[in-house]
Amino acid sequence: MSSKRRNVESVNHSLRKKDKRCDSVGVVDVIREEAVKAGVKEAWRSKTKFSRAEAIEVDSHPFPHCIIQNFIENSSFLESLKKELLDLSFHEKSNDLYKFKQSDDLKKSQKPHISALRKVLFEEFRLWLSEVLEVDLRSTVDLSCAKYENSDVLLCHDDELEGRRIAFILYLVPPWEQSDGGILDLFDTDNHLQPRKILKSLVPSWNTLVFFEVSPVSFHQVSEVTSEGKCRLSVGGWFHGSSVERPPRYIEPVLPRNPHLQRDESLLNTWINAQYLDMSFQAQVQEEFEETSEILLKDFLQPEQYKMVSEALKESKIRWNQIGPPNKRCYSQADEASLPECVRQCWELLASEAFFLLLSNFTGLKLHFLAPSGGGDDDDDNDDEEEEEEKGGKGEKTGEVDVCETINAGPSLKGRKSDGIMYHGKCEHHISHTLVSLKPSTPGCRGELQRWQHGNYTLIHDTDPGNTEFALDLLLYFNCEEWKTTFGGFTSYIARDEDEELLTVYPESNSLALIYRDKETLKFVKHINNHSVDHQKTTENLVIIVVIHGHGSSRKLLS
């Protein structure tokens, strides 16, 4: 141990020497004190608290982390460093998890102040961390600069990636308040090691460094920046070492599946725009859908029915439950027992046997036993659908069936399955159903009425049961006449392990979006940002009804 201390002291001495290209730089003296190092070591090991005045604080709740104030001694160095960082080229980073600007990797930057900071972090500070945390940290360090400005955000995640052991952030921000957003929020976890609620929030401050252990419970986020004129500038990255052992990931249970509802076919005539009940128009819809695997059907509901549901969703006292966990989703779900009568009727329309047959006519998918079998190219990964074709006629040509004449012939459908429910806007509610073929002739569905507001989102995650099956997603929108794309809240479809978007669906009032996807197509709803709050005129003025039907098929898919 004494030998390691001598090495650290030697490094400390070398870093105190004047750099010919920039101001001298070193870390704050307090962390070199033996009493402080011993205090940090004991607190980290025993998962207790330790602090020294306002200079350094260690806390184990909700997970081990440390805050070091005035991390770099030389204030003039920091000002020069900030100028160099702001002169870098930044790249817009945006996906389901985040939106901000990031520099290239700083490991090779030749700028003098950036190089000096890198030397401090990679050498002196890394050795200090290894000693007080009793962790062998490798010389490999990730380092970049991030800029968060108005509406930028980094949603809940744990930072876990092979080799990452300690995450760190050095803030170079102007005077910052909690109301400015951009707060580092730390989450506690439940019995399944899933994030539950924010337990601690750290407001950025100039020359403050925060580090924490990357582990299965290190869930955190950068809340959305709401300040109009401030930039949350930081330098951060990860020190690498042996990863903390992770238990098996928790797999959420598959949501309940229900059979379709036996409802009179007159529902279609009462609710749906007459043009969509015309057989020739259905054939046109199917032709377009089979080319692209997606379509938007505008003015889908009859105007008076659309208006009735829209008003009920805005004015009624529906009971809402918050849905999480925040590393996967954040929105509100309605208690079905509290639905107004007209909303319940709309729900029943979308879950009815008659509507399944209508969807078959729209898409060419066999979502009803009376619907003709779909054509198209075979899918090698879809054995169940090949069996279906073997039984029902592989070469049978897709066609349409008159819904109202045939819906009462034959047995009812059995079974439903769940899938991801998506889409939102400024503030929305939506009903969602998932239709899945448990057997070739027995599709099923699941539904939800959801409300979406500022701060809501869904994220792509590895354990989503909805990403393991074919699905036909239905999204029916309400009260989004003034929706703008800058609000976020759009649904994105991407191919697994790829960043490029296959399709983006934006809200459009009284429009039904149909999207057919396979097991390799993932989807998420983009975080609704504060621009929606600035724009909205009421507390709940955007409503979306979403329906999702899943079904395997050998026909063309969104890809």
Side-chain angles (χ1 to χ4, degrees):
M1 184 62 70
S2 60
S3 175
K4 180 175 287 189
R5 282 200 296 270
R6 284 196 297 271
N7 289 337
V8 174
E9 291 168 1
S10 176
V11 172
N12 292 345
H13 177 73
S14 65
L15 289 174
R16 287 174 176 273
K17 294 180 179 179
K18 183 74 174 180
D19 191 302
K20 295 181 180 180
R21 299 173 297 169
C22 67
D23 300 323
S24 60
V25 57
V27 298
V28 61
D29 280 332
V30 68
I31 71 171
R32 300 188 184 93
E33 296 177 9
E34 291 300 322
V36 169
K37 290 196 290 185
V40 172
K41 180 183 295 187
E42 177 58 27
W44 200 270
R45 178 193 298 151
S46 61
K47 299 189 183 303
T48 55
K49 289 186 177 182
F50 169 81
S51 63
R52 169 63 63 88
E54 296 183 355
I56 186 169
E57 175 190 349
V58 178
D59 193 357
S60 62
H61 297 288
F63 51 84
H65 62 278
C66 179
I67 306 164
I68 304 175
Q69 306 286 349
N70 301 310
F71 179 70
I72 297 296
E73 288 182 315
N74 190 325
S75 59
S76 63
F77 170 86
L78 288 173
E79 292 293 345
S80 299
L81 172 66
K82 180 179 178 180
K83 291 179 181 179
E84 287 185 0
L85 293 171
L86 290 174
D87 285 340
L88 296 172
S89 296
F90 286 84
H91 309 285
E92 188 79 40
K93 309 284 286 185
S94 181
N95 60 15
D96 60 320
L97 184 64
Y98 50 70
K99 184 177 85 71
F100 66 99
K101 295 180 179 66
Q102 186 179 44
S103 72
D104 292 326
D105 194 319
L106 298 181
K107 286 200 290 282
K108 297 181 180 180
S109 174
Q110 298 302 310
K111 293 180 179 292
H113 294 84
I114 294 175
S115 298
L117 176 67
R118 185 174 63 230
K119 184 176 179 65
V120 168
L121 292 172
F122 287 22
E123 297 180 9
E124 177 182 4
F125 189 59
R126 179 173 64 87
L127 293 175
W128 182 86
L129 283 174
S130 292
E131 180 180 353
V132 299
L133 305 187
E134 300 178 298
V135 174
D136 182 21
L137 296 177
R138 306 177 190 130
S139 58
T140 302
V141 183
D142 299 322
L143 185 66
S144 64
C145 180
K147 288 198 304 183
Y148 286 77
E149 297 170 311
N150 185 258
S151 80
D152 287 346
V153 67
L154 174 60
L155 299 172
C156 181
H157 65 292
D158 61 12
D159 260 10
E160 279 213 306
L161 199 64
E162 185 65 33
R164 290 179 179 177
R165 187 59 188 265
I166 301 295
F168 66 94
I169 313 99
L170 173 63
Y171 296 111
L172 298 170
V173 296
W176 204 271
E177 306 292 336
Q178 183 129 6
S179 59
D180 293 322
I183 311 303
L184 180 60
D185 294 321
L186 310 183
F187 291 80
D188 68 353
T189 53
D190 60 19
N191 293 335
H192 300 296
L193 303 185
Q194 295 296 288
R196 186 169 49 181
K197 64 180 184 297
I198 296 170
L199 195 66
K200 189 172 185 178
S201 295
L202 305 179
V203 179
S205 60
W206 175 262
N207 195 19
T208 294
L209 184 136
V210 176
F211 69 84
F212 59 85
E213 181 178 60
V214 177
S215 75
V217 298
S218 58
F219 287 101
H220 60 285
Q221 70 176 16
V222 177
S223 67
E224 181 185 2
V225 174
T226 54
S227 172
E228 289 287 349
K230 295 181 181 179
C231 172
R232 183 188 186 273
L233 185 71
S234 65
V235 176
W238 297 271
F239 293 99
H240 286 246
S242 299
S243 299
V244 175
E245 184 177 354
R246 171 185 273 281
R249 290 184 182 272
Y250 173 67
I251 306 297
E252 294 178 303
V254 175
L255 295 173
R257 308 167 190 178
N258 303 300
H260 74 88
L261 300 177
Q262 291 281 5
R263 294 294 182 269
D264 191 272
E265 64 272 12
S266 61
L267 269 178
L268 301 183
N269 293 319
T270 301
W271 283 86
I272 297 176
N273 187 325
Q275 71 172 341
Y276 293 113
L277 301 180
D278 179 78
M279 295 295 293
S280 60
F281 194 83
Q282 291 174 22
Q284 294 176 34
V285 170
Q286 184 181 131
E287 182 178 359
E288 180 176 342
F289 184 86
E290 289 182 335
E291 284 296 316
T292 62
S293 297
E294 54 90 12
I295 195 169
L296 185 68
L297 305 179
K298 299 185 178 184
D299 300 318
F300 187 72
L301 298 182
Q302 295 190 21
E304 61 275 13
Q305 302 295 83
Y306 169 77
K307 181 179 180 181
M308 177 174 60
V309 175
S310 297
E311 294 301 321
L313 286 169
K314 287 191 291 185
E315 298 175 5
S316 63
K317 295 183 180 179
I318 300 174
R319 294 191 296 271
W320 300 99
N321 301 312
Q322 187 71 23
I323 302 300
N327 63 325
K328 298 175 181 176
R329 60 189 72 87
C330 176
Y331 62 83
S332 297
Q333 176 186 330
D335 180 346
E336 290 186 40
S338 69
L339 295 181
E341 178 61 21
C342 66
V343 178
R344 184 186 60 79
Q345 291 177 5
C346 187
W347 175 294
E348 292 180 356
L349 164 73
L350 299 170
S352 68
E353 184 180 14
F355 197 71
F356 286 1
L357 184 53
L358 181 63
L359 288 174
S360 297
N361 287 351
F362 284 156
T363 64
L365 299 171
K366 191 172 178 61
L367 304 178
H368 190 278
F369 74 96
L370 292 173
S373 298
D377 298 331
D378 290 341
D379 188 326
D380 294 336
D381 296 326
N382 199 346
D383 296 336
D384 291 340
E385 287 67 42
E386 290 176 358
E387 292 177 10
E388 175 183 355
E389 290 177 343
E390 186 175 329
K391 294 178 181 179
K394 184 172 182 179
E396 186 173 355
K397 185 178 180 181
T398 300
E400 296 78 37
V401 177
D402 191 311
V403 176
C404 295
E405 288 185 5
T406 60
I407 195 61
N408 291 321
S412 63
L413 306 179
K414 303 176 183 177
R416 281 188 190 176
K417 187 166 183 180
S418 61
D419 199 89
I421 310 306
M422 325 238 349
Y423 222 89
H424 60 263
K426 290 184 290 186
C427 171
E428 69 188 51
H429 313 73
H430 73 234
I431 298 172
S432 137
H433 296 273
T434 301
L435 183 77
V436 174
S437 181
L438 303 181
K439 293 181 181 179
S441 61
T442 58
C445 69
R446 175 178 70 87
E448 271 188 320
L449 173 60
Q450 301 177 345
R451 179 178 66 185
W452 295 80
Q453 298 171 302
H454 171 223
N456 289 164
Y457 57 85
T458 63
L459 300 175
I460 292 171
H461 55 281
D462 296 337
T463 58
D464 187 353
N467 292 336
T468 62
E469 57 206 10
F470 293 77
L472 176 65
D473 294 351
L474 286 81
L475 303 87
L476 179 58
Y477 302 91
F478 289 83
N479 295 340
C480 49
E481 287 80 4
E482 298 182 10
W483 184 257
K484 296 184 179 180
T485 59
T486 54
F487 297 164
F490 48 82
T491 301
S492 289
Y493 289 81
I494 64 173
R496 189 184 299 275
D497 300 326
E498 294 184 18
D499 293 330
E500 184 178 356
E501 289 185 341
L502 302 174
L503 176 69
T504 303
V505 182
Y506 296 97
E508 187 169 337
S509 290
N510 197 15
S511 295
L512 177 69
L514 304 178
I515 304 96
Y516 186 53
R517 57 186 172 84
D518 65 6
K519 304 172 187 179
E520 297 303 313
T521 302
L522 310 178
K523 60 178 181 176
F524 67 89
V525 182
K526 186 65 175 177
H527 173 264
I528 302 176
N529 59 51
N530 64 82
H531 296 160
S532 64
V533 176
D534 298 336
H535 185 79
Q536 68 184 34
K537 299 175 183 177
T538 63
T539 56
E540 296 182 359
N541 68 337
L542 175 62
V543 178
I544 299 174
I545 288 184
V546 177
V547 182
I548 304 176
H549 289 261
H551 182 266
S553 173
S554 60
R555 64 176 302 282
K556 181 180 178 180
L557 299 163
L558 180 67
S559 60

